Amino acid sequence: MTNNKQNNDNTAYSKDELKLLYALGEALGDLPTDEEAQRAWRQMEVRHEAARRRLRTKRLVFTAVAAIVVVVLLFTWNRPASPLGASGSYTAVNLPATVTRSTAGGTVIITTPPATTQPVNLPDGTAVLLGAGSSIEYPQDLGRAATRQVKVTGMARFSVQRNEKAPFTVHMGGMEAKVLGTVFDVKCYPGINRTVTLYKGKVRVETDGGKQNAILHQGQQAVTDGKGRLNVSQADIQSAKSWSNGMFIFDDTRLQDAMNEIGAWHNKSIIFRSKQAADTRIHFTFPRTETIENVLGALREMKAATFIYDGETIEIK
C-alpha cells in the first residue's frame, strides 16, 4: 500500500499512522511495497494482451520526476446504454487545505483535503484509512457503549476490531453497513451512488431504514441505485482497492463511473452532456499522484469523449 499524499513522502505520517497503514494493507493481504503499483500495471497488461491484438491500442508516456507509462484501451460494448446520469455525478464540496481534526460535544470529526489519504485509529482499536475529500465522525468513548456508531462521507476502509458484544455500524447518509469484525470499503461521495465492498468476513448493508438489505460475503459489492435499491454483485477487487495503492485502475468501467472517481479524488464537479460518452467503457491505469491536467490529457488522447475543464468543473460530451 502506498502513501497517497501529494508529496508522496512517508515522513508526512507519524510513526503510529504508518503502523496503521501497514495494518490495513496486511488485512487485505497487500504488502505495502513501492513496486505494487507497477506490478498491478503489468498484470493488467498481460490480462489484456489478447484484446489488444483485436482492438485499437494507444500507449501514452508521461514524465514527471521519472517516466510513467500508461497503457489505455478503449472500446464500446454493443449493448443497450443506460440513461444519462443513471449513476449520478460527483459534485465538488468545500474542503480544507490540510487534514483537520475537531472535537465538540464528545464527537470527533476528521476531514481530509483532495488527493490525500489519512490513517485513523479509533478508540475501540478499529483501523481506518480515510480517503481523499472525506470525513469521519465518531464518539470519543467509542467501544465503551453497547453499540459502535460512526458516520462517513466520502471514502474509507475499515478494519474493524471484532467485538461480538458491540456491533459496529457505519452510517453513510441513507445507507448503513453493520458488522462485528471485518475489512471493507465504503464510498459515499455527494452526487454518486453509495457502495460497500467487502474484502473479509461478512457485512449487512441496509437502505431505506432496513427495508432494503443484503448480507455481503467476501469479494462482493453492494451499490445503491437512484431509488435506494441495493444491487449486489462480485466486485473487481483490483480496481476497488486501487485508491489505497495510489492508482486509478479502471477495467471495463463506464466513463461516468471512472470520472466520478477522478472527480472525487481531485474534488472537481463532473457534468456529462452525452449519454454515449457516459456509457463508453474504458480500460485505464494512471497514478493518482499525477495532476488533474495530466489525467485529462491521457483521457483526451484516448478520444473517449470531449473534456472541457475550467479549473473547477469537468464537462464531458
Side-chain angles (χ1 to χ4, degrees):
M1 184 181 303
T2 58
N3 176 359
N4 294 330
K5 289 195 175 183
Q6 288 180 323
N7 60 12
N8 202 29
D9 183 356
N10 281 339
T11 62
Y13 287 136
S14 69
K15 183 177 179 181
D16 289 340
E17 289 173 343
L18 287 173
K19 287 180 179 179
L20 276 176
L21 284 172
Y22 274 71
L24 284 161
E26 290 170 357
L28 291 181
D30 296 335
L31 291 178
T33 64
D34 293 336
E35 293 79 19
E36 181 171 355
Q38 290 302 320
R39 286 205 307 272
W41 178 88
R42 289 194 294 270
Q43 289 168 0
M44 180 168 286
E45 184 182 64
V46 171
R47 187 149 36 101
H48 295 293
E49 184 63 33
R52 283 200 293 268
R53 294 193 189 101
R54 301 188 303 270
L55 303 173
R56 182 181 180 184
T57 302
K58 290 183 179 284
R59 292 180 179 272
L60 306 173
V61 180
F62 281 85
T63 58
V65 177
I68 302 170
V69 180
V70 181
V71 176
V72 293
L73 176 64
L74 166 68
F75 67 94
T76 303
W77 284 70
N78 292 321
R79 62 183 177 187
S82 58
L84 178 63
S87 62
S89 291
Y90 177 77
T91 302
V93 296
N94 292 326
L95 293 173
T98 60
V99 176
T100 63
R101 177 189 176 102
S102 62
T103 304
T107 298
V108 178
I109 303 174
I110 299 174
T111 304
T112 57
T116 303
T117 60
Q118 176 68 27
V120 177
N121 191 7
L122 300 184
D124 69 332
T126 292
V128 181
L129 183 62
L130 197 59
S134 303
S135 67
I136 184 170
E137 300 180 25
Y138 60 90
Q140 288 180 297
D141 63 352
L142 183 74
R144 296 200 294 269
T147 61
R148 296 173 288 172
Q149 311 273 336
V150 303
K151 180 180 178 181
V152 169
T153 299
M155 189 82 177
R157 175 168 300 152
F158 288 86
S159 181
V160 177
Q161 179 68 38
R162 188 170 185 83
N163 184 346
E164 295 184 0
K165 296 181 179 180
F168 192 99
T169 302
V170 180
H171 299 274
M172 296 166 275
M175 187 178 188
E176 295 180 353
K178 299 181 178 181
V179 303
L180 296 176
T182 187
V183 181
F184 62 99
D185 281 353
V186 299
K187 181 164 63 176
C188 48
Y189 284 107
I192 64 177
N193 295 335
R194 283 143 178 74
T195 304
V196 175
T197 304
L198 180 63
Y199 300 110
K200 284 187 177 182
K202 293 182 181 180
V203 168
R204 177 184 173 88
V205 292
E206 298 180 355
T207 64
D208 194 20
K211 294 180 181 178
Q212 295 280 328
N213 62 79
I215 301 295
L216 299 187
H217 299 272
Q218 183 171 324
Q220 289 187 321
Q221 186 176 74
V223 182
T224 61
D225 62 16
K227 297 181 179 179
R229 293 172 298 195
L230 285 173
N231 297 303
V232 177
S233 62
Q234 288 299 121
D236 181 344
I237 297 299
Q238 178 86 345
S239 177
K241 69 181 183 180
S242 64
W243 70 274
S244 63
N245 295 331
M247 298 292 291
F248 291 114
I249 298 180
F250 303 121
D251 188 5
D252 185 30
T253 303
R254 291 177 68 246
L255 182 59
Q256 186 171 17
D257 295 332
M259 291 307 301
N260 281 338
E261 185 90 2
I262 292 167
W265 177 258
H266 290 283
N267 195 35
K268 306 298 181 183
S269 294
I270 303 299
I271 299 175
F272 272 85
R273 302 298 187 189
S274 165
K275 181 168 69 70
Q276 181 179 357
D279 287 308
T280 296
R281 292 184 173 267
I282 63 171
H283 294 269
F284 182 71
T285 301
F286 207 79
R288 288 179 183 250
T289 52
E290 285 296 300
T291 64
I292 186 62
E293 289 81 5
N294 281 352
V295 175
L296 293 176
L299 291 169
R300 288 188 181 107
E301 287 293 327
M302 294 170 63
K303 301 189 184 303
T306 299
F307 299 87
I308 302 172
Y309 176 51
D310 64 5
E312 298 295 333
T313 301
I314 303 171
E315 183 176 338
I316 305 100
K317 57 184 180 181

